[in-house]
Amino acid sequence: MSPRKALVAALAAALLAGPGVAQAATVQAPPAPARERAAAATITWSLVHASNPTADQRSAYDQITKAMNAAVARYNNLSDLGKTITVRYEPGVPTADGNINGTIRFGSNRSYMNERTALHEIAHTIGVGTSSGWSRLGGSGTWTGGQATALVKQYDGSVAKISTGGGHFWPYGLNYDNEWSGTAADRHVHIVAAMVRDGL
């Protein structure tokens, strides 16, 4: 039977069935999501280059770029935090530092040009040790925000806490290279994100 004849036959059957019997098929809308989630924010970064870089600067730029690319990828994969960061190579900086204004500076010591340092300094740009929320929630020597505290207890047991001091936190603050592992790095990002939810 041709498609046209099939359509005519279907319409005739519907008319013969009587009023109110033939109905258009209803299309059900998909269920509404339980809660709407905002689109994930993104951390972006750029490196300030000298117009005519020396060999030392080019070497530093390469190492800083690898470190920052890895750290930013980890933050963007594991959190919905957003920040625009400007990175500078300044040989006079003893190690590295990050500021809530979005700047990170790396000094000439190549041992700090790694993902661990980059993650740590990104946390400072987000507010760890640099924001009023940090002073309010971490000023007593122990982080008092509920979400980050619950997370560290999940990781380390019911008596675990996040200690604070000198603008830093531990565990998972990645303050030193001996704290580094892939697991610690992931937990660092999750804890910083929880601190932001707490009001960092």
Side-chain angles (χ1 to χ4, degrees):
M1 180 183 290
S2 73
R4 181 181 170 113
K5 286 183 181 179
L7 177 60
V8 170
L11 287 173
L15 288 173
L16 293 173
V21 175
Q23 298 178 355
T26 56
V27 177
Q28 298 215 350
R35 72 180 173 93
E36 293 294 323
R37 179 184 164 109
T42 303
I43 294 175
T44 60
W45 76 281
S46 61
L47 178 62
V48 176
H49 289 81
S51 57
N52 189 19
T54 64
D56 173 70
Q57 288 170 323
R58 286 194 301 273
S59 167
Y61 295 162
D62 287 346
Q63 284 191 244
I64 292 168
T65 296
K66 287 177 189 170
M68 287 298 298
N69 280 344
V72 167
R74 192 180 299 266
Y75 262 102
N76 287 340
N77 287 335
L78 298 177
S79 79
D80 60 359
L81 298 173
K83 192 78 180 186
T84 300
I85 299 171
T86 301
V87 180
R88 291 184 168 82
Y89 171 51
E90 295 190 8
V93 173
T95 57
D97 58 40
N99 191 294
I100 198 164
N101 68 9
T103 61
I104 293 175
R105 303 182 307 163
F106 285 88
S108 61
N109 188 334
R110 298 304 198 263
S111 68
Y112 290 96
M113 294 178 186
N114 57 34
E115 183 184 357
R116 193 272 314 162
T117 302
L119 287 165
H120 176 92
E121 301 308 338
I122 289 170
H124 286 312
T125 71
I126 292 169
V128 169
T130 58
S131 69
S132 60
W134 173 266
S135 299
R136 182 172 43 83
L137 294 164
S140 67
T142 301
W143 183 260
T144 59
Q147 294 204 33
T149 300
L151 195 55
V152 80
K153 288 179 185 298
Q154 176 186 326
Y155 294 151
D156 295 339
S158 61
V159 298
K161 65 177 184 172
I162 299 172
S163 298
T164 59
H168 298 94
F169 71 90
W170 60 93
Y172 308 115
L174 303 181
N175 303 296
Y176 302 100
D177 280 340
N178 64 4
E179 297 174 54
W180 173 259
S181 72
T183 298
D186 288 353
R187 290 178 177 183
H188 167 86
V189 173
H190 289 305
I191 286 176
V192 172
M195 287 178 165
V196 169
R197 293 192 299 273
D198 281 337
L200 179 64

